[in-house]
Amino acid sequence: MKKKSFSMLLTVLLAFSLVLSACGGGEKSKGASSDPTPAPSNSKEEVSAAPEEPTEITIMLPLNTSETPPDTIKKEIEKLTNTKLTYQFFPADTYEEKLNTSFATGSLPQVTYLKNSTTFVQMKEAIKDGQFWEIGPLLSEFPNLNKLKPEILNNTKVDGKLYSLYIGRPLARQGMIYRKDWADKLGLSAPANVDELFEMAKAFTEQDPDGNGQKDTIGIVDRNELVYGAFKTVSSWFGTPNYWGTKDGQLEPEFTFEGYYDTMDFFKKVRESGYMNQDFAATSKTDAVKMFTSGKAGMYIGGSMQDIDSLHKDLIKNVPDAVLDTHSMVAGPDGSFAQWMIPGYNNIVLFPKSAVKDEAELRKILAFFDKMMTPEVSNVMYWGIEGVHYTVVDGKAKPSSEKELIEREVKGYKDSVIGEAETNGMYESYNELPGRIHAEELLLENVKVGVADPTAALDSVTYMEKGVELQQIITDATYQYMYGQIDRAGFEKAVSDWKSRGGDKIIEEFNAAAK
């Protein structure tokens, strides 16, 4: 009996020693302790051998289409980046309201895209207050994120620190898209200066360019947007600074310069003459586009000249023989050329501390964006699936003729791609439309005469607190002037009101920051 018990005990001990050997043998060969208890590091090889769990990330961003995209592109992104993504799309028109509500209730997700530079300004105080993660010191850990352009990153810094990644855009995309077939019929060339711009608006209105024998066309169609509509682009042609300029050695806001008044006078005259849509201050972008693509307007100014593709597609449905072209080299009264420039981005993304619990989680999220900045992922997000949404021609992406499919499935993700082709390696666009090819050439010309915003990287506490509210004073007065409801004295009164309610403090703070 004792012999049997001893034999059983020996069997158990032998089995146990085999288990220990399997678990700890590897460490012994490295000179580890002979303690039979397995060290925590022993499991590293087993973990690395197993598939890594997908990183779960929730992303909030504005939607510039009428419908939320299906998961077609999202599934491809997840496969390429080993993530499980939840996209929270909200309509761009109401996104600012949603952003503010989510921030106020502490419900922003891990990845929060803003809407534009205005919402970025509004968020700066919260950034300074430590409510978002600083990412600058971590970028060097990620080889692709480290390719982002330093000059653009600098324009998004707050108090010299980097908290955001940027969605890159060409510095100066704006100009005009116009009916070249109308111009050719009337014997007009692209306007060389602002006087010829007025004359083209007049001819497109009065000389029956569509040949139907009726006075049913207008020269310029504009919308209720002073920046991305026609106003700021034409204002730069009149020599107005880009948001801020230098006068007597001091930074002053653009609306205190003579070029701003000249621009208001220009649009006032165009409107009073009937050469543009009379209610442009109340016209949405959608309605302005519809007016242009219906064949009733000759010039669409501002925004991006790259929009010619979509405008042409919709226009030829109504006017099959229509021909569009782009133009941006319009000289001001003094004969010089100028184009206002953006700071190199049209939006940024932030990482709220209320949603990202620690640096380890932040690093996992940044790792996702690092993968986004590879050609494989950025092409899927920007162009879609090769063979379905685009094909490669001469090393460039040629979008499918199924424009509605691209709009529905790809557009929502396209607007969130970090960086630009130079930094993320995605395909450039293959263009066939002559007007679009011309537009790409003009983008390079625009930069040569580009005017930067000197306050892009400067901070003003008062501007952050009151800038949007105070700007409304100027916006309202600008429209009132162009509508003939106030004169120059009335506009100057509005400027005085802007200054007394905080504008003087903004001027003081920007000038102090510049020094």
Side-chain angles (χ1 to χ4, degrees), residues 117 152 155 167-174 227-228 232 242-243 339-347 451-453 456:
S117 58
I152 299 177
N155 285 336
I167 296 87
R169 289 294 182 271
L171 291 170
R173 298 184 295 167
Q174 54 282 341
V227 176
Y228 298 105
K232 191 167 179 65
N242 185 4
Y243 292 111
Q339 299 288 346
W340 72 277
M341 298 193 300
I342 64 172
Y345 66 93
N346 79 327
N347 200 1
V451 179
D453 172 9

Side-chain angles (χ1 to χ4, degrees), residues 151 195 199 231 244 254 259 322 325 480:
E151 64 271 23
D195 290 335
E199 291 303 318
F231 186 88
W244 289 74
E254 61 183 350
D325 201 359
Q480 289 166 0

Side-chain angles (χ1 to χ4, degrees), residues 172-177 300 302-309 311 326-329 339 435-436 438-443 446:
R173 298 184 295 167
Q174 54 282 341
M176 60 183 283
I177 299 169
Y300 184 88
S304 168
M305 290 183 290
Q306 295 167 317
D307 290 340
I308 189 173
D309 287 322
L311 293 177
T326 49
H327 183 60
S328 63
M329 293 294 111
Q339 299 288 346
R436 174 60 188 274
H438 191 201
E440 295 300 322
E441 296 168 349
L442 289 171
L443 296 186
N446 281 355

Side-chain angles (χ1 to χ4, degrees), residues 145-443:
L145 291 179
N146 208 33
K147 296 175 185 176
L148 289 169
K149 296 181 179 180
E151 64 271 23
I152 299 177
L153 290 174
N154 285 337
N155 285 336
T156 72
K157 286 183 177 179
V158 179
D159 281 349
K161 297 179 180 179
L162 183 68
Y163 298 83
S164 59
L165 301 174
Y166 70 83
I167 296 87
R169 289 294 182 271
L171 291 170
R173 298 184 295 167
Q174 54 282 341
M176 60 183 283
I177 299 169
Y178 71 101
R179 289 289 298 271
K180 188 176 186 301
D181 55 323
W182 285 8
D184 290 345
K185 178 181 178 181
L186 301 178
L188 299 172
S189 300
N193 52 53
V194 287
D195 290 335
E196 291 185 12
L197 179 67
F198 180 86
E199 291 303 318
M200 178 174 275
K202 178 180 180 181
F204 281 177
T205 306
E206 295 185 344
Q207 296 183 28
D208 190 25
D210 60 357
N212 68 354
Q214 301 176 34
K215 192 175 181 180
D216 59 354
T217 58
I218 58 170
I220 299 171
V221 61
D222 195 19
R223 54 189 167 111
N224 57 351
E225 169 62 71
L226 289 180
V227 176
Y228 298 105
F231 186 88
K232 191 167 179 65
T233 296
V234 174
S235 190
S236 71
W237 295 341
F238 273 101
T240 308
N242 185 4
Y243 292 111
W244 289 74
T246 303
K247 185 188 294 184
D248 299 327
Q250 176 170 283
L251 287 172
E252 295 282 350
E254 61 183 350
F255 47 81
T256 63
F257 286 77
E258 202 59 35
Y260 197 93
Y261 287 94
D262 291 341
T263 309
M264 291 193 294
D265 285 332
F266 175 85
F267 282 106
K268 183 174 184 289
K269 184 178 178 182
V270 173
R271 181 178 181 273
E272 287 177 346
S273 301
Y275 303 156
M276 70 185 298
N277 50 320
Q278 296 294 288
D279 60 344
F280 67 93
T283 302
S284 67
K285 179 181 180 180
T286 300
D287 288 341
V289 166
K290 284 181 179 177
M291 192 178 300
F292 187 79
T293 56
S294 71
K296 295 304 178 186
M299 285 183 275
Y300 184 88
I301 304 175
S304 168
M305 290 183 290
Q306 295 167 317
D307 290 340
I308 189 173
D309 287 322
S310 58
L311 293 177
H312 175 263
K313 175 180 70 73
D314 291 335
L315 175 61
I316 59 175
K317 292 176 183 177
N318 300 309
V319 189
D321 297 329
V323 178
L324 295 180
D325 201 359
T326 49
H327 183 60
S328 63
M329 293 294 111
V330 180
D334 64 355
S336 62
F337 296 96
Q339 299 288 346
W340 72 277
M341 298 193 300
I342 64 172
Y345 66 93
N346 79 327
N347 200 1
I348 64 164
V349 58
L350 295 169
F351 310 95
K353 287 185 176 178
S354 59
V356 181
K357 64 179 182 296
D358 53 33
E359 273 199 8
E361 184 178 345
L362 178 63
R363 280 184 164 88
K364 288 184 177 181
I365 295 170
L366 290 176
F368 161 68
F369 281 100
D370 194 64
K371 291 174 184 175
M372 186 194 293
M373 282 194 63
T374 60
E376 294 78 13
V377 182
S378 59
N379 279 327
V380 167
M381 294 186 70
Y382 195 88
W383 296 110
I385 300 169
E386 185 177 353
V388 177
H389 302 103
Y390 76 99
T391 55
V392 179
V393 180
D394 296 336
K396 297 183 177 182
K398 179 182 179 181
S400 161
S401 58
E402 297 290 331
K403 305 297 183 185
E404 288 76 14
L405 178 69
I406 296 172
E407 183 83 0
R408 184 172 66 254
E409 295 189 351
V410 183
K411 173 67 173 169
Y413 301 96
K414 179 177 183 175
D415 294 338
S416 67
V417 177
I418 298 300
E420 52 275 292
E422 296 169 69
T423 55
N424 60 33
M426 67 184 182
Y427 290 121
E428 298 276 6
S429 175
Y430 178 80
N431 301 307
E432 295 179 287
L433 190 67
R436 174 60 188 274
I437 295 172
H438 191 201
E440 295 300 322
E441 296 168 349
L442 289 171
L443 296 186

